[in-house]
Amino acid sequence: MIAAPDVVLLSRLQFAITALYHFLFVPLTLGLSTLLGIMETVYFMTNRPIWRTMTQYWGILFGINVAMGVATGVTMEFQFGTNWAYYSHYVGDVFGAPLALEGLMAFFLEATFIGIFFFGWDRVSKGAHLFSTWMLAAGASFSALWILIANAWMQNPVGAHFNFHTMRMELYDFYSVIFNEVAQAKFVHTISAGYVTGSMFVLSLSAYFLLKGRMVAFAKRSITVAAAFGLASALCVVILGDESGYLAGLNQKMKVAAIEGMWETEPAPAALTLIGLPDQAHRATEYSLKVPYLLGLIVTRSINRPVYGIVDLVEEAKHRMYSGILAYDALTALQLDPTNKRAEDILDANQNNIGYGLLLKRYTDDVLHATPEIIDRAAWDTVPDVFVMFWTFRVMVACGLFFIILFAYAFYLSLRRRIVKTRWFLWIALFSLPLPWVASEMGWIVAEYGRQPWIVDGMLPTFMGVSSLSVTDVWISILGFVLFYSALAIVELYLMIKYIRLGPDQLFPIEDFSIQPRVLQHETPNTAKD
């Protein structure tokens, strides 16, 4: 049974709200956990108390963020069973394995070592504590890895096939799922973006302390670490994002065309649209400014191959729908007679297009007799919202380029010992705090909104994956999530603001520095002049 359009729309809205909200916490967890490892490593090597204080203070903010991230992540996964029951049935064999491994490996590591991180400072050796901190960072990365492997399979379904006996996708090559090239590119890109978020968090709040004239030595060291790590990470985001663009050009050509607002095929050497105004109603992009050669180099790694536009890709979708109709017809015959060898051969030959046949069910129950008009409408459904794709991608890229400049200049000022005196830069750094989250949310929209109308690319349309719910049911669950997440947001903001205002100088007594009086004498007096 096909769910009502309102149920599909509301279920998508609910998942988008919860996923975007959860994704506010993930990048900061990834970034801060690694920065904690770096700071504590310096403490381990130098034995200077200020590095221990840095690890402990940023660790408190990390702990608040982790708690919120876990709470929102667990509740979000419930939706696979509540709102996306058919999807769970259809891909459970494939999708369940990475999620289970995420729970076993990531939660195991994080739950085991987070306690040692907070309560083990004076109970275990310095080496053991440092090991625990890095294991905490590894747990956060493993969590991201397995989630992204699962997500990448939805973008590029490899290592599985459709079984007409069970009517679902079944895993036959877990190695291909794990080493899905899309998963590897998404993982390194997302991890790097998380490092940028953590670095910006430390940089912005350290700028706040310098503007207030508090804990200058602490803030200066924090900025140096954040600037160096952030610069390296921001450069990686751009370079690894280029790899994601290349893979999207291989596996999701329509997503690339929508990002570019490219209605007609761009002949070789393909030019990149720097800016423009997409108009989906008239199927045109006005006032476009292009950079020669660049799109071909990014998407095809060449200057002698064209990049296909939306109109040509829609025509290709129509051809795949005719193949999908053959697969649907064969599947119907096999349901009546599973021993029908001819139908099985037809299904095998057209299996990769069965999703395109299912797209027609949005307009007719009689897929086998779909008219050319219905096929045309369904083919245009394969085009995501071009305006949204075009601008979210450019906002994300603009943020990425800004981060490189910001971190590079912060690093330069730190090396020249001018960071304290350059107050205009400190204000810019402080007000740049939200930008990594803006970029991450834009990136999520590009990746997930850009694969519509598919929940599993080319195999299962999104409207077929939802549960048999009423509109009222979904509204109730949406309101429940909004209330729950709003309460969490209030708690998160209250705790973050409270501990940021307190600062390291009030949270940690000065006696912490008494281990090395020489160091204390150098770090603490008259810090406003530092």
Side-chain angles (χ1 to χ4, degrees):
M1 183 181 72
I2 303 301
D6 287 346
V7 173
V8 177
L9 183 62
L10 290 173
S11 297
R12 288 180 59 194
L13 175 65
Q14 178 173 309
F15 198 85
I17 291 172
T18 53
L20 286 170
Y21 188 85
H22 175 61
F23 208 57
L24 292 174
F25 305 102
V26 173
L28 185 57
T29 298
L30 292 170
L32 267 186
S33 61
T34 305
L35 281 167
L36 294 178
I38 293 172
M39 292 174 183
E40 190 172 344
T41 300
V42 178
Y43 169 60
F44 180 82
M45 296 173 66
T46 65
N47 203 33
R48 302 186 73 179
I50 193 170
W51 289 97
R52 168 172 165 157
T53 304
M54 289 167 62
T55 310
Q56 288 178 310
Y57 176 70
W58 297 117
I60 291 174
L61 303 181
F62 165 78
I64 296 169
N65 188 73
V66 165
M68 297 300 168
V70 171
T72 55
V74 170
T75 52
M76 191 183 77
E77 290 186 7
F78 290 155
Q79 292 175 74
F80 291 123
T82 56
N83 294 61
W84 302 94
Y86 186 72
Y87 167 77
S88 299
H89 165 78
Y90 191 76
V91 304
D93 286 19
V94 185
F95 207 68
L99 290 186
L101 286 168
E102 192 255 349
L104 286 172
M105 294 179 66
F107 280 127
F108 173 77
L109 284 173
E110 288 182 288
T112 300
F113 291 105
I114 198 168
I116 299 175
F117 177 80
F118 283 108
F119 304 110
W121 283 102
D122 299 316
R123 294 179 173 84
V124 299
S125 68
K126 286 177 62 179
H129 195 278
L130 177 64
F131 176 77
S132 301
T133 304
W134 279 113
M135 285 298 98
L136 192 58
S141 297
F142 272 127
S143 177
L145 173 65
W146 291 112
I147 291 295
L148 290 172
I149 284 174
N151 179 270
W153 185 82
M154 298 162 71
Q155 315 266 353
N156 181 35
V158 296
H161 64 87
F162 177 75
N163 185 339
F164 70 88
H165 293 289
T166 59
M167 293 294 289
R168 63 183 188 180
M169 299 293 290
E170 293 183 353
L171 183 68
Y172 69 85
D173 185 359
F174 193 49
Y175 179 88
S176 296
V177 175
I178 294 176
F179 292 98
N180 185 344
E181 57 187 1
V182 176
Q184 306 310 314
K186 287 172 75 71
F187 173 67
V188 291
H189 184 61
T190 305
I191 286 284
S192 300
Y195 294 163
V196 169
T197 305
S199 299
M200 184 63 77
F201 185 78
V202 172
L203 177 68
S204 298
L205 296 185
S206 299
Y208 165 78
F209 290 129
L210 288 183
L211 288 168
K212 291 286 185 181
R214 294 174 55 191
M215 292 294 290
V216 173
F218 173 96
K220 284 173 60 180
R221 282 166 175 77
S222 295
I223 284 180
T224 301
V225 173
F229 188 56
L231 176 60
S233 303
L235 290 170
C236 287
V237 169
V238 174
I239 295 169
L240 299 170
D242 169 74
E243 182 65 16
S244 293
Y246 172 67
L247 293 173
L250 291 177
N251 305 307
Q252 294 175 300
K253 293 183 173 61
M254 185 63 82
K255 181 188 285 187
V256 172
I259 287 172
E260 280 297 294
M262 190 172 61
W263 301 90
E264 304 295 336
T265 294
E266 188 76 16
L272 179 105
T273 302
L274 195 62
I275 199 167
L277 190 61
D279 182 348
Q280 194 136 356
H282 295 92
R283 297 173 186 172
T285 298
E286 305 290 347
Y287 313 112
S288 59
L289 175 63
K290 296 191 174 186
V291 180
Y293 297 93
L294 193 53
L295 182 63
L297 291 172
I298 294 173
V299 175
T300 68
R301 296 281 192 267
S302 72
I303 57 172
N304 56 10
R305 279 184 284 177
V307 179
Y308 292 102
I310 292 171
V311 173
D312 284 336
L313 292 172
V314 167
E315 288 300 315
E316 180 186 333
K318 290 180 186 176
H319 292 297
R320 297 189 69 172
M321 281 178 185
Y322 287 109
S323 172
I325 291 172
L326 293 176
Y328 187 87
D329 187 26
L331 183 60
T332 304
L334 287 167
Q335 287 179 315
L336 297 174
D337 179 13
T339 64
N340 188 333
K341 182 62 179 170
R342 181 175 177 277
E344 187 174 346
D345 290 341
I346 294 174
L347 179 62
D348 286 342
N350 297 279
Q351 186 177 128
N352 290 337
N353 295 320
I354 191 170
Y356 285 84
L358 297 175
L359 274 178
L360 296 165
K361 292 182 75 67
R362 182 175 181 182
Y363 299 104
T364 178
D365 290 330
D366 189 5
V367 170
L368 302 183
H369 297 93
T371 65
E373 290 76 19
I374 288 177
I375 291 174
D376 185 69
R377 290 176 64 187
W380 277 98
D381 284 348
T382 60
V383 184
D385 191 309
V386 177
F387 187 89
V388 172
M389 293 294 294
F390 187 89
W391 283 109
T392 51
F393 178 77
R394 276 151 187 79
V395 170
M396 177 185 70
V397 171
C399 288
L401 296 176
F402 173 75
F403 297 148
I404 293 175
I405 297 171
L406 186 78
F407 286 126
Y409 198 61
F411 190 58
Y412 166 78
L413 291 175
S414 295
L415 291 181
R416 299 295 301 270
R417 301 180 185 276
R418 289 167 51 190
I419 191 73
V420 179
K421 297 176 181 177
T422 316
R423 294 181 65 83
W424 63 267
F425 179 80
L426 296 176
W427 281 111
I428 291 177
L430 177 59
F431 287 117
S432 298
L433 177 60
L435 292 182
W437 282 273
V438 172
S440 295
E441 301 289 278
M442 294 298 107
W444 186 91
I445 292 172
V446 169
E448 305 309 314
Y449 194 61
R451 67 178 155 88
Q452 294 303 318
W454 304 108
I455 193 168
V456 179
D457 196 87
M459 298 301 297
L460 184 68
T462 302
F463 66 82
M464 293 194 69
V466 298
S467 304
S468 299
L469 299 171
S470 68
V471 172
T472 304
D473 293 335
V474 188
W475 267 121
I476 290 172
S477 59
I478 288 177
L479 291 174
F481 273 112
V482 169
L483 291 173
F484 177 62
Y485 281 10
S486 297
L488 289 179
I490 293 170
V491 173
E492 162 89 2
L493 286 175
Y494 170 76
L495 292 175
M496 279 289 187
I497 293 172
K498 174 184 175 181
Y499 284 99
I500 289 169
R501 282 182 170 175
L502 283 173
D505 48 346
Q506 296 186 44
L507 285 170
F508 300 98
I510 200 68
E511 285 77 12
D512 280 352
F513 296 94
S514 62
I515 301 171
Q516 293 185 355
R518 183 185 62 80
V519 175
L520 176 63
Q521 187 179 5
H522 174 73
E523 301 293 348
T524 54
N526 203 16
T527 52
K529 296 180 181 178
D530 196 345

